[in-house]
Amino acid sequence: FSQDLNSNLHVISNFSFNFRTSLPAAMFSRSTVSIWSILKKCIGLELSKITMPIAFNEPLSFLQRITEYMEHTYLINRACSLSDSRERMQAVAAFAVSAVASQWDRTGKPFNPLLGETYELTRENQGFRLVSEQVSHHPPVSAFHAESLVGDFVFHGSIYPKLKFWGKSVEAEPKGTITLELLKHHEAYTWTNPYCCVHNIILGKLWIEQYGTVEIVNHSTGDKCVLNFKPCGMFGKELHKVEGYIQDKSKKKHCVIYGKWTECMWSVDPQTYEAHKKSERRGDNKKQKNVRTTENDDADDMPEVQETVSVVPGSTLLWRIDSRPAHSAEMYNFTNFAMSLNELEGGMEANVSPTDCRFRPDIRAMENGNMDEASKEKERLEDKQRAARKERAKNEEEWSTRWFQMGTNPYTGSQGWLYSGGYFNRNYQDIPDIY
């Protein structure tokens, strides 16, 4: 646990101001921009080197976007308070699902962080603080480290998002392991996020699905939670569904977890779940089969969202999503938490690192509704970054990260970026000028 915990906690705490509940300006219409002219050359390629028009962005950096993992920190706090390890696993599983819930309907692309860009967030009401840094530009890698203000947990990882364009859709593979350590219980959990796909990039209404298997391992007990984020399927029956189970090291199932990543997650014992499924299937066979019709062959129509989760009697609610603000659709479909992430309040400027995302002029201009200035600033920052890279190459200098170092994850044995401490000491000498 880092030694700099007590320094400057008051600087950016939620007691200094009330968080804003909307952005300064509504979002810019994307309907005037042809994405096809840019993307038709990119089918099957990785998109990290393609410059996209700013109209497809949202006014947050990817570093701020990954901070949204922390929106439901109360689930980690709940895990810390539980005495039973399987109940802790249920809370951790709910947290892992909740961490991707903010992506629902978020079809804007976050800004690619500049090399050396940072972001910090302290939330006393939720009991955590976080720092992140862009540690690599090609490939793009974002490292983050969050810790409990009372010493209960550490949550960290490095994310390397691989984006691919498949003609009608963009798929993001979130490479990188996430680690949650519950310090008082001497437990560590690791997992990787599911795939995310944005459909109808060219034509039709944009919509998002998450799919793939997420395995959460408790390295202390050998218990494992296997979560299957289901692709939407032929009739959209599986859209947003997540289903899985907790098993011990001898592979005995102790608990079924089910729900939707856009709504809620429940747990129930396996026998009850299976019996319920059997009776449901008997009922389904008596119903008339659906026939799928496609009105528009060029767009992957988003399935009508089915009725909400059908709750198995005897289930326990693990997590339910918070409702979004009424004006969310005009504000990039941001949650209340996301609305506040780029807020720059009095007192911050003197204390936050000069590399913090809140000082990025292109994101700030976009947030304020000034798209022309945002576009110019984005180009200027990218040119400045390229020039700095050439200068380093000429002088045969390596880029050195400031707050994270490459190291070995002690639980998985894999290489990753680990926080080296000291950020909250507020000593920002020799910080690179990236803006």
Side-chain angles (χ1 to χ4, degrees), residues 336-347:
N336 280 313
F337 188 78
M339 293 280 188
S340 66
L341 291 178
N342 203 42
E343 191 166 8
L344 188 55
E345 284 293 312

Side-chain angles (χ1 to χ4, degrees), residues 80-81 88 148 150-153 181-187:
C80 292
S81 74
R88 289 197 290 276
S148 157
V150 293
D152 280 349
F153 69 82
E181 300 175 52
L182 304 184
L183 301 172
K184 289 178 181 170
H185 297 290
H186 307 289
E187 280 182 343

Side-chain angles (χ1 to χ4, degrees), residues 378-393:
K378 181 171 177 278
E379 207 171 306
R380 179 185 70 77
L381 291 174
E382 285 165 357
D383 288 346
K384 182 171 180 169
Q385 182 167 246
R386 274 190 287 273
R389 189 163 65 243
K390 277 185 188 154
E391 189 64 23
R392 283 196 303 278

Side-chain angles (χ1 to χ4, degrees), residues 120 351-354 402-403 423 426-431:
E120 67 164 280
N351 290 289
V352 174
S353 169
R402 184 63 191 265
W403 310 111
Y423 176 89
R426 307 280 171 210
N427 173 14
Y428 304 131
Q429 303 300 311
D430 308 318
I431 287 288

Side-chain angles (χ1 to χ4, degrees), residues 308-359:
T308 55
V309 177
S310 111
V311 180
V312 179
S315 298
T316 303
L317 180 66
L318 300 178
W319 162 78
R320 191 183 291 288
I321 199 166
D322 290 334
S323 57
R324 293 195 180 177
H327 53 280
S328 175
E330 294 92 65
M331 305 265 166
Y332 305 89
N333 289 311
F334 280 8
T335 61
N336 280 313
F337 188 78
M339 293 280 188
S340 66
L341 291 178
N342 203 42
E343 191 166 8
L344 188 55
E345 284 293 312
M348 274 194 190
E349 287 188 45
N351 290 289
V352 174
S353 169
T355 49
D356 195 280
C357 309
R358 295 174 182 90
F359 300 128

